[in-house]
Amino acid sequence: SSGINAEYGQENDIGKVSLDVNIYLVLILLQVLSSCFAGVYTEFILKTLGRDTPVMVQNVFLYLDSIFCNLVLLTYNGQFSHSSAIRIFNQSCHLKLSTLSLTRHALG
């Protein structure tokens, strides 16, 4: 309740900041810190241990890890069976679409 106090005619609560720390703020902070540390660690690995590993192989590992983590989270939340990825995968199993996709990948 910032603003003018009607009884005394003075302003109150000016300059005070209220910070409500709840679980969502903590989770966002955890995500930000995890992302920062992951970026620094990835750069460290790429510049030291992964110097001889081709970029293509690094990208494959990165994408597979991302897919795995997403599947784990979808399964944990009970949304795996409801996800659109399952429908897209089922639709892509048709022979014509698979043939077209493989042809485009081979040419590209």
Side-chain angles (χ1 to χ4, degrees), residues 3-102:
I4 304 234
N5 190 342
E7 185 175 337
Y8 298 107
Q10 298 175 351
E11 294 185 11
N12 55 9
D13 292 340
I14 301 297
K16 291 184 181 179
V17 176
S18 173
L19 180 63
D20 295 330
V21 177
N22 56 19
I23 188 66
Y24 301 113
L25 183 63
V26 172
L27 289 175
I28 289 172
L29 183 62
L30 179 67
Q31 173 63 35
V32 168
L33 291 175
S34 297
S35 178
C36 290
F37 288 133
V40 170
Y41 184 68
T42 301
E43 286 295 321
F44 171 74
I45 293 295
L46 289 176
K47 291 180 180 176
T48 57
L49 303 175
R51 196 175 310 160
D52 299 327
T53 307
V55 174
M56 183 94 162
V57 174
Q58 293 174 3
N59 285 339
V60 167
F61 285 128
L62 176 72
Y63 294 139
L64 289 177
D65 182 53
S66 176
I67 290 169
F68 175 74
C69 290
N70 283 322
L71 288 176
V72 167
L73 287 174
L74 283 172
T75 304
Y76 177 75
N77 289 334
Q79 298 173 348
F80 183 73
S81 61
H82 302 287
S83 69
S84 61
I86 298 295
R87 289 182 295 227
I88 292 171
F89 180 74
N90 288 336
Q91 291 173 354
S92 68
C93 288
H94 297 295
L95 182 62
K96 289 181 183 179
L97 187 59
S98 297
T99 305
L100 178 65
S101 177
L102 290 174

